[in-house]
Amino acid sequence: AQRVTQPEKLLSVFKGAPVELKCNYSYSGSPELFWYVQYSRQRLQLLLRHISRESIKGFTADLNKGETSFHLKKPFAQEEDSAMYYCALSSLATGKLIFGQGTTLQVKP
Amino acid sequence: ETGVTQTPRHLVMGMTNKKSLKCEQHLGHNAMYWYKQSAKKPLELMFVYSLEERVENNSVPSRFSPECPNSSHLFLHLHTLQPEDSALYLCASSQVLGFSSYNEQFFGPGTRLTVL
């Protein structure tokens, strides 16, 4: 079964601390993985996709097929990073997105 | 407004009411989606339309009825809802329906629905 798991509902860190938002997936085949973000009072939007191997707003995510993980990392958290983060997997069969439960990141001053 | 718009932004309805949610996208996309976002569950895909044809119906109760009259508009008709249907309903669109790392979904702001 295709599934995305984000084990932490809430992650609270202080400004300047490193951040790692965990994401594990279950998928048979080569997955396409994404991180979406929803800031307060804003719409859900794409943060980054694994194929691009890019860094957006200081965030990176590496696909680890051995551990079936796609954790989101940032070395120094900023207060403006506080938001809800969703990990998502694109289904090869249908092209639809399967979302994890989401993790709320709270960056304290 | 550009991108994906949804109206109304907030809706309160009784269990016997009939109402409709509207979604419009100005991006020239061919695929549109309805999601339900509840407080205690992950984002749930409800319906998928590609080129105005429904291609996915994820076991959604019949009290939710989608309509896609053209590639720019998507409706969700609501009838005899239950209090547990209270949630944020999100509309999204993408260029096409298909497997692609670059087939990004663009989301609307959502309609906050409260069923009394």
Coordinates of all heavy atoms in Angstrom, one line a residue, chain B residues 1 4 55 73 91 99 109 111 115:
Chain B
E1 N -8.3 38.0 -9.1 CA -7.3 37.2 -8.4 C -6.8 36.1 -9.3 O -7.5 35.5 -10.1 CB -7.9 36.6 -7.2 CG -6.9 35.9 -6.3 CD -7.6 35.3 -5.0 OE1 -8.7 35.7 -4.7 OE2 -7.0 34.5 -4.4
V4 N -5.7 29.9 -8.0 CA -6.9 29.1 -7.7 C -7.7 29.8 -6.6 O -7.2 30.2 -5.6 CB -6.5 27.7 -7.2 CG1 -7.8 26.9 -6.9 CG2 -5.6 27.0 -8.2
V55 N -12.2 11.2 -12.7 CA -11.4 10.0 -12.8 C -11.1 9.3 -11.5 O -10.5 8.3 -11.4 CB -10.0 10.3 -13.5 CG1 -10.2 10.8 -14.9 CG2 -9.2 11.4 -12.7
H73 N -13.6 25.4 -13.9 CA -14.5 25.5 -12.8 C -14.8 24.1 -12.2 O -14.9 23.1 -13.0 CB -15.8 26.1 -13.2 CG -15.7 27.6 -13.6 ND1 -15.3 28.0 -14.9 CD2 -15.8 28.7 -12.8 CE1 -15.3 29.3 -14.9 NE2 -15.6 29.8 -13.7
C91 N -9.5 23.1 -2.8 CA -9.5 22.8 -4.3 C -8.0 22.9 -4.7 O -7.3 23.8 -4.2 CB -10.4 23.7 -5.0 SG -10.4 23.6 -6.8
F99 N 1.8 11.4 -13.7 CA 3.0 11.2 -12.9 C 4.1 12.0 -13.4 O 4.6 11.8 -14.5 CB 3.3 9.7 -12.9 CG 4.6 9.4 -12.1 CD1 4.5 9.4 -10.7 CD2 5.8 9.2 -12.7 CE1 5.6 9.1 -10.0 CE2 6.9 8.9 -12.0 CZ 6.8 8.9 -10.6
P109 N -7.4 28.7 -1.3 CA -7.3 29.0 0.1 C -8.2 28.2 0.9 O -8.1 28.1 2.2 CB -7.7 30.5 0.1 CG -8.6 30.6 -1.1 CD -8.1 29.7 -2.1
T111 N -12.4 26.5 1.7 CA -13.6 26.9 2.3 C -13.8 26.2 3.6 O -13.7 25.0 3.7 CB -14.8 26.5 1.4 OG1 -14.8 27.2 0.2 CG2 -16.1 26.8 2.1
V115 N -20.9 22.4 9.9 CA -22.2 21.8 9.8 C -22.8 21.7 11.2 O -22.2 21.1 12.1 CB -22.2 20.4 9.1 CG1 -23.6 19.8 9.0 CG2 -21.5 20.5 7.8

